[in-house]
Amino acid sequence: MNKEMLTMRMKGYALTTYGRELKELNNKERYTVFSKALMEDILPKWKASEEKFEGKKKAYYLSAEFLMGRALSNNLINLGYMSEVKEMLSSMGMDYNALEEAESDAGLGNGGLGRLAACFLDSGATMNYSLTGYGIRYNYGIFEQKFVEGYQVEEGDKWLEHGDSWSIRRQDEKVVVDFKDQSVYAVPYDTPVVGFSGETINTLRLWQSEAITEFNFTAFNNQMYDKAVKEKNDAENISKVLYPNDSMESGKILRLKQQYFFVSASLQDLIRTYKKDHKDFTEFSRLHAVQLNDTHPAVAIPELIRLLGKEGVSFKNAFDIAVDTFAYTNHTILKEALEQWSVKLYKKILPEVYAIIVKIDNMLSRQLADKGLTEKEISEFEIISEGNIKMAWLSIYGTHSVNGVAQLHTNILKDTELSGWYNLFPERFNNKTNGITQRRWLLESNPELSAFITELLGHDGWITELSELSKLKKFAEDDTIIERFMRIKKAKKLELKEYIKEREGIEIDENSIYDIQIKRLHEYKRQLLNAFHILYLYNRLKTDKNFDMEPRTFIFGAKAAPGYARAKAIIKFINEIAEVVNNDADINGKIKVVFVENYGVSYAQKLFPAADISEQISTAGKEASGTGNMKFMLNGAPTIGTFDGANVEIVEEAGLENNYIFGLTVEEIEELKAVYDPKAELEKNPVLKSIVNTLIDGTLDLAPEENFKELHDSLIKGASWHDPDNYFIIRDFDAYVEAQERVNEDYKNQLEFYRKGFLNMASAGKFSSDRTIVEYANEIWNIPSITEEDEESLAV
Ligand SMILES: *Cc1c(COP(=O)(O)O)cnc(C)c1O
């Protein structure tokens, strides 16, 4: 890094952007000029990296969500500039942390699915693959969450308010996307994805929707002002805002337009580039691997066939190219989250695409009939059924690979949810257990633990080869090592305490157990079970003088989809519990409850390193993988959780004895389902009954709300599409309390407790997204990893 050059550029941007001297700028402005100056450094390397992959097979990740968070620290770390930059800025009288905090999160995703896409991009570049992300440049990302009297209130996320220095508008590469009733430009904004060591720099290309004709002069002249800008507004609406739904189907016209918009633009982009060097499409699938992140981009299958048809390729050939090009990742087992679109809507918005889906469906039926399936059997596989298009069915039939995201999840897909399809195409099904990037979730978030790991190993190879961590297991016997690990954890807990004091205005006890549940709010994730346990402890402290417990701080972070009333009621309920518990002098501060506002990637980076215990308590069989569980583990926190998703593999790696596993298994739930009677169970469990009753009886002065009544009904009577206690909170409660008691007991011997945490960290190697991405590259995409060295040796 050239400091003089960087300073000179910053001064230049200060003048040309703000018309002021560098030293006169506020933190936001300083951040902006600094990131612009850094972009000048990145650009030539970015171009060189692109050249390295010319003519090679490349992978593309189509995703409606990229939950990137901040870029500055990540870029500095991956470029190897961090320590120099900190020095340089401080010599100029600037505080790096203030600059860092000035960056808005790029929150273009809801939760795990979008964050996975972001981790994959980081790993793809670090492992030296050409992996391009394609998505939507939402003007507003995931909403900003506020609490007003304990209720969630949503506000627009103005992440672009101060500009975005990391992206470059590529006006020259815009394409037209046609709907039946509208045509728009898709304008690409490219952001560099810097791999660790800066050797490979890939691209995240996000499309922004704009009008073909911005302004209708004649209408304006005739004083029809709304009409004059109508086309502009209609076009811009398409990429205006991220749908804040997480695993909930949403059947909105705008959502369909969003999906088709970015998919069509991305495929047009690929075809245009390909045509520069090719006369026909026989080489297309040999050069492109396109991964569909869930079914949101599934319209890519008929759209590629449609676009190839316009280039003169027959339907049959185009279908084969699509199957060879595309692969599909399934992210959910929840039935209500399996995407379907009404035929009516498709016909109205995308008639040409719909006609191709019909052809695909007919071909499938013929193929199945040839295999000797009966008409009734064939109907099970129909893509178009009862007026709806089943996007998962389309995604299985139109691709060569279908993967689940953890072993348990993949098994459930094969054995139950998709067993029919599995029997039809067994070779297509495979597992790719999710991962997280250790660059962001350890190196950047927890520099103290990172330095300690490097010291113990004698090298920092874990940064790109996380399995190195297993060599730390031998240190677990050494109490002085565990004591140092403990001191780091305490330091991170103190940092979080200060951050929470500043952000939430709540004082927490740094010597208490930090018990953290941070993830989207959903019934299946069972934040309510956690809340009931808090009430259980509170009641015992209030009523039983002999009851003692280690002090605990329960920390929650979660956004609820704005239309998901029951999830919002759970937020309100937990905030009410916090209000009561935090202000009750009787319990001597033994329990504190904090629901942090506006949980997102940057907040997450402060929470994971400070956790003593990781809450992963979903109903078994419902959480496809989870990745939050991996972030806790990597930062040395044991899991209290069910045998669900990747928890199973976490325990496999770190040992049952170092985690707190409880509750029904998938098999037990399958058996119990038909006979489960939560009301009867509650009658036998007066302790739990009184806790559940706090939802409706006013004992806790929770201001009996209509919403709480509905929540109560959902447990006892079943409400809307639900069976009573659909997520087995009542049945799992006692087992959860018992597991929490084990945590409490174990924490009395802190050395032993933190030894478990240390061993979790040392066992986290498998959960690097580097490992996941190498599996995708080798087993699905068939793409090469190319370093500069490879290039040079080829040139010789
Ligand atoms: C990792 C992450 C998630 C996913 O958490 P799960 O516990 O796996 O659901 C969601 N949101 C953010 C901000 C994350 O960093």
Side-chain angles (χ1 to χ4, degrees), residues 77 126-127 196 436-472 634-635 761-762 764-765 768-771:
I77 286 172
T126 298
M127 297 288 105
F196 188 77
I436 55 168
T437 165
Q438 66 267 35
R439 268 80 59 191
R440 183 174 293 263
W441 297 110
L442 186 58
L443 188 56
E444 182 182 327
S445 313
N446 199 341
E448 297 83 354
L449 184 55
S450 298
F452 186 45
I453 291 168
T454 299
E455 181 195 320
L456 291 179
L457 287 174
H459 61 83
D460 64 5
W462 61 271
I463 296 172
T464 53
E465 184 50 71
L466 198 63
S467 63
E468 285 292 309
L469 292 186
S470 68
K471 294 179 184 155
L472 298 173
L634 184 59
N635 282 278
M761 178 270 287
S768 169
S769 45
D770 298 346
R771 186 266 313 149

Side-chain angles (χ1 to χ4, degrees), residues 63-69 105-118 136 138 140-145 152 154 157 241-250 255 258-259 293-294 296 339 518-522 524-525 527 557-564 598-602 604 627 631:
S63 180
E65 302 186 15
F66 287 93
L67 189 50
M68 302 297 282
D105 268 42
L108 308 185
N110 277 292
L113 174 147
R115 184 53 232 177
L116 184 75
I136 300 172
Y138 301 106
Y140 296 90
I142 184 67
F143 63 85
E144 196 185 322
Q145 178 192 54
Q152 168 176 296
E154 303 92 23
D157 160 48
V241 57
L242 169 79
Y243 268 82
N245 293 331
D246 190 67
S247 29
M248 299 274 279
E249 193 213 331
S250 131
R255 169 88 163 179
Q258 286 186 336
Q259 293 185 349
N293 195 21
D294 214 315
H296 315 144
E339 214 176 5
I518 42 177
K519 46 182 76 249
R520 283 303 293 256
L521 214 134
H522 207 290
Y524 83 80
K525 292 178 183 277
Q527 282 94 349
K559 289 178 183 176
Y564 190 176
N598 203 34
Y599 172 62
V601 171
S602 289
T627 50
K631 300 168 198 165

Side-chain angles (χ1 to χ4, degrees), residues 68-206:
M68 302 297 282
R70 290 177 176 144
L72 178 60
S73 288
N74 196 243
N75 284 341
L76 289 175
I77 286 172
N78 285 3
L79 289 164
Y81 292 170
M82 187 56 107
S83 54
E84 274 180 279
V85 158
K86 281 185 173 168
E87 261 172 50
M88 183 192 97
L89 290 175
S90 94
S91 75
M92 293 161 75
M94 296 187 200
D95 172 24
Y96 178 75
N97 288 341
L99 253 62
E100 184 186 36
E101 291 287 324
E103 181 175 3
S104 309
D105 268 42
L108 308 185
N110 277 292
L113 174 147
R115 184 53 232 177
L116 184 75
C119 283
F120 279 2
L121 292 185
D122 185 85
S123 286
T126 298
M127 297 288 105
N128 297 299
Y129 296 112
S130 175
L131 175 61
T132 300
Y134 273 124
I136 300 172
R137 188 175 194 256
Y138 301 106
N139 207 224
Y140 296 90
I142 184 67
F143 63 85
E144 196 185 322
Q145 178 192 54
K146 296 248 164 77
F147 294 142
V148 177
E149 290 176 14
Y151 290 102
Q152 168 176 296
V153 173
E154 303 92 23
E155 284 175 20
D157 160 48
K158 295 188 260 175
W159 74 289
L160 289 170
E161 193 173 26
H162 302 277
D164 171 29
S165 322
W166 305 113
S167 63
I168 292 184
R169 180 182 170 94
R170 294 300 303 265
Q171 182 88 20
D172 54 322
E173 299 203 16
K174 71 183 176 196
V175 299
V176 175
V177 175
D178 294 314
F179 307 94
K180 175 78 181 170
D181 59 346
Q182 185 182 21
S183 292
V184 298
Y185 279 132
V187 184
Y189 281 74
D190 288 355
T191 299
V193 179
V194 182
F196 188 77
S197 82
E199 144 110 55
T200 297
I201 302 184
N202 285 326
T203 301
L204 170 59
R205 172 162 278 198
L206 299 179

